[in-house]
Amino acid sequence: MFKRNTVAILAATLATTAFATKYEAESATVSSEAKIVNSSGVSGTGYASLQEGSITFTGVTAETAGKYTLTIHYKAGDFKANYLKVNGATAGTIDFAATTGWADITTAVTLKAGANSIAIEKYWGWIDVDYIDISAYESKPFKLSASPVTPNATESAVKLYSFLRENFGKKTISGIMTGDMSGYTLGADFKTHDDVKYIYTRTGKYPALVGLDFLFATGPNASQGWNMEYTDKAISIAKGLWKAGGIPAFTWHWKDPLDKKDAFYIQSAAGTNEYTDFDFSTGFKSGTTEWNTESAAYKGIVADIDHIADYFLELQKEGVAGIFRPLHEAGGKWFWWSINSGEQFAALYRLVFDRMVKVKGVKNMIWVFNPEGSTVTSWDPGSEYYDVLSIDIYNSANDHSSNASSFDKFKSASNGTKILALSENGPIPDVNNMHTDEAVWSWWMPWYSTWSGTWPGQTKDAVWKSNMGDERVISLEDMPGWDKYKPNQDTSTTRLAKVSPFYGPATTIGIFDMNGHYVGLTTQGLPQGRYIVRQRIQGRNLNAVYIKK
């Protein structure tokens, strides 16, 4: 007999469609500059050329509501990223790799029972689509490390990582980014900051996570009084937030390490503003990614890293932990750290980590790798260098979709081994959409409202209130308090994602260990411990965790 763990049921559903259903692109609706091309050598009588327009497949039928696998049969001369919309709502972007002929790319979509629409809309444009098909989808459990990547992490960092790990897939942490510090008095309650107050005014609750920026901590003007005060205020907020049970999250808009320009944008992204032409690859030995420790670039980079590390060490002395997202939006061609190759970026990221952690002794940060969607694998510094994989997504105002396509892409890219977060956003993803789509981000963080920021205002009042009041969204009022919080001692790597709503007679399909290896159809002869049992219930495949005692 199995003893069922009634809480620990893994989300792993199969859509009831038992076979792929194909929809030809020549029968789709095209708009703007997209067009239908009659052709031989394809699935039907032709294909759709996206160009600068959109391709919409209507009448995509699902027998029951749920998650399905979408396959797009396409062709692209070089890499292109384009938007995916399901029933008019943004599902995310799809990265189409360059092909020499027709190829397939798959993603997950959530469909309603009956007829649906699936649209591919121009972001970069210029792909050809032969057909799409819809088939069964099976969700796989996450397998997260039981401890942070930082060796000998502080007690506070271990608590923070454990809290993120325990809640991932179940609840989402609410956040807000801070901008202007002029209205905040150094040493005052963090709740008095204008961006934090904004969320309370809209919802009656405070966010549990507050974003802070080292924007003025480095660069040629860093030693000026106003700049130093800005950073001091950020550190003050971090201390007060942690003591109140919240989570400080740090970003670093890193200005020219040679201090020649007070800028982090490159020329093509700066518009009329100041820009930097700093090239960090001049810090490498020629033809390699090995650092030349005598180069000016290396010395400038290390000096800045050490300066930021000292702020973290100040927090560390007071028992404060936080989240650190260095070199953000990796691969986006607007910051100086993304102008070179993925291999060179990875070397820079590793230098930041190694210098802070192994040389300076920073042990209180949870590390985040934050790539653009197209660079999630090619710019990866190595899984041993980060705890969280995150993406920044700015949907249109009042678009509260879950961004499930991006969630599934990042889950697949990391093999389900990393916590996933929405580290910057405009409108927040509605909690109902996240759970329906099985795309439950660890946290979300709209950009600031100060400095004329419009991003928190892009979420409807009703959505703000319903989400902050939902038990699946964690506000500051929901936090347990770090002095009271006890990390979960469960060191199993498989994480629970969702409690199944399906009950009834079950047929066992197979039994697996917690790393996903098949061990048979019965527990006879197996040692005591936890196992994943795959069952068929109400026409769906479900994975459940069972404990053999």
Side-chain angles (χ1 to χ4, degrees), residues 59-82:
V60 178
T61 304
E63 184 178 342
T64 60
K67 211 164 185 178
Y68 291 79
T69 295
L70 167 68
T71 300
I72 304 173
H73 195 61
Y74 79 98
K75 183 168 58 177
D78 53 19
F79 174 86
K80 302 293 180 186
N82 288 295

Side-chain angles (χ1 to χ4, degrees), residues 86-144:
V86 178
N87 295 321
T90 302
T93 59
I94 303 291
D95 295 334
F96 296 90
T99 65
T100 56
W102 293 101
D104 290 336
I105 187 167
T106 62
T107 188
V109 292
T110 301
L111 303 179
K112 62 184 180 182
N116 298 263
S117 67
I118 295 178
I120 303 167
E121 296 186 355
K122 175 191 174 293
Y123 178 21
W124 294 16
W126 301 98
I127 63 169
D128 297 329
V129 177
D130 185 7
Y131 61 84
I132 64 171
D133 68 33
I134 300 296
S135 59
Y137 172 85
E138 184 176 1
S139 175
K140 297 179 180 179
F142 280 86
K143 299 177 181 179
L144 305 179

Side-chain angles (χ1 to χ4, degrees), residues 301-379:
I301 288 169
V302 166
D304 282 354
I305 294 171
D306 288 355
H307 184 61
I308 299 302
D310 287 340
Y311 284 111
F312 289 151
L313 291 173
E314 177 184 342
L315 296 174
Q316 186 167 300
K317 288 179 182 178
E318 296 195 22
V320 178
I323 293 168
F324 183 36
R325 181 176 62 122
L327 307 175
H328 61 290
E329 298 175 356
K333 301 299 182 181
W334 40 87
F335 298 134
W336 62 258
W337 53 84
S338 288
I339 62 173
N340 297 312
S341 69
E343 182 181 18
Q344 290 170 323
F345 167 85
L348 179 61
Y349 186 105
R350 290 192 290 266
L351 175 61
V352 175
F353 181 95
D354 289 339
R355 184 76 187 182
M356 284 194 175
V357 174
K358 299 176 183 178
V359 178
K360 295 289 289 184
V362 172
K363 303 289 187 178
N364 60 333
M365 289 293 118
I366 302 304
W367 289 73
V368 180
F369 171 43
N370 174 225
E372 286 290 287
S374 60
T375 57
V376 62
T377 53
S378 56
W379 288 50

Side-chain angles (χ1 to χ4, degrees), residues 463-519:
V463 177
W464 266 124
K465 292 177 181 177
S466 65
N467 276 257
M468 291 295 280
D470 195 291
E471 63 179 4
R472 297 167 295 177
V473 173
I474 300 173
S475 66
L476 183 65
E477 294 82 356
D478 300 320
M479 295 295 286
W482 295 117
D483 56 337
K484 301 175 183 177
Y485 175 71
K486 303 297 182 184
N488 193 323
Q489 299 303 310
D490 179 9
T491 58
S492 64
T493 58
T494 302
R495 302 306 300 144
L496 311 180
K498 185 178 178 182
V499 175
S500 168
F502 301 99
Y503 303 96
T507 301
T508 298
I509 299 172
I511 300 172
F512 305 81
D513 65 21
M514 296 302 286
N515 290 316
H517 301 120
Y518 178 78
V519 294

